[in-house]
Protein backbone atom coordinates (compact mmCIF):
# COMPACT_ATOMS: atom_id res chain seq x y z
CA UNK A 1 0.00 0.00 0.00
CA UNK A 2 1.35 3.42 -0.96
CA UNK A 3 2.04 5.98 1.75
CA UNK A 4 -0.05 9.13 1.64
CA UNK A 5 0.70 12.73 2.52
CA UNK A 6 -1.94 15.00 4.06
CA UNK A 7 -2.20 18.57 2.76
CA UNK A 8 -3.50 21.31 5.04
CA UNK A 9 -4.78 24.75 4.10
CA UNK A 10 -2.36 27.54 4.98
CA UNK A 11 -5.26 29.89 5.79
CA UNK A 12 -7.62 27.83 7.99
CA UNK A 13 -5.34 24.80 8.73
CA UNK A 14 -7.96 22.20 7.79
CA UNK A 15 -6.63 18.99 6.26
CA UNK A 16 -8.57 18.67 3.01
CA UNK A 17 -6.50 16.52 0.67
CA UNK A 18 -4.29 13.42 0.62
CA UNK A 19 -1.84 12.63 -2.16
CA UNK A 20 0.49 9.65 -2.74
CA UNK A 21 3.99 10.15 -1.35
CA UNK A 22 7.02 10.06 -3.64
CA UNK A 23 10.14 8.24 -2.42
CA UNK A 24 12.62 10.95 -3.50
CA UNK A 25 10.78 13.85 -1.84
CA UNK A 26 13.12 15.80 0.45
CA UNK A 27 11.20 19.09 0.48
CA UNK A 28 7.71 19.81 1.69
CA UNK A 29 5.04 19.77 -0.97
CA UNK A 30 3.04 22.97 -1.64
CA UNK A 31 0.08 23.00 -4.02
CA UNK A 32 -2.62 25.54 -4.76
CA UNK A 33 -5.94 23.75 -4.14
CA UNK A 34 -9.55 24.68 -3.46
CA UNK A 35 -10.49 24.82 0.23
CA UNK A 36 -14.18 24.19 0.89
CA UNK A 37 -13.96 25.81 4.35
CA UNK A 38 -12.43 29.07 3.02
CA UNK A 39 -14.41 28.82 -0.25
CA UNK A 40 -11.36 29.89 -2.31
CA UNK A 41 -8.12 28.60 -3.82
CA UNK A 42 -5.32 28.68 -1.24
CA UNK A 43 -1.85 27.19 -0.83
CA UNK A 44 -1.97 23.77 0.81
CA UNK A 45 1.19 22.55 2.53
CA UNK A 46 2.36 19.08 3.43
CA UNK A 47 1.82 18.04 7.04
CA UNK A 48 3.73 15.41 8.98
Amino acid sequence: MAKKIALSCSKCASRNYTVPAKADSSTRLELKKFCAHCNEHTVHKQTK
Side-chain angles (χ1 to χ4, degrees), residues 1-6 10-12 14-20 22 25-26 29 33 35 40-42 44 46-48:
M1 193 157 111
K3 292 196 175 202
K4 293 190 177 183
I5 297 172
S10 61
K11 197 169 184 182
C12 68
S14 66
R15 292 183 180 161
N16 300 331
Y17 294 97
T18 56
V19 294
K22 292 186 179 176
S25 173
S26 62
L29 185 63
K33 296 277 209 179
C35 179
E40 61 184 270
H41 284 86
T42 58
H44 284 67
Q46 175 181 343
T47 59
K48 292 185 179 181

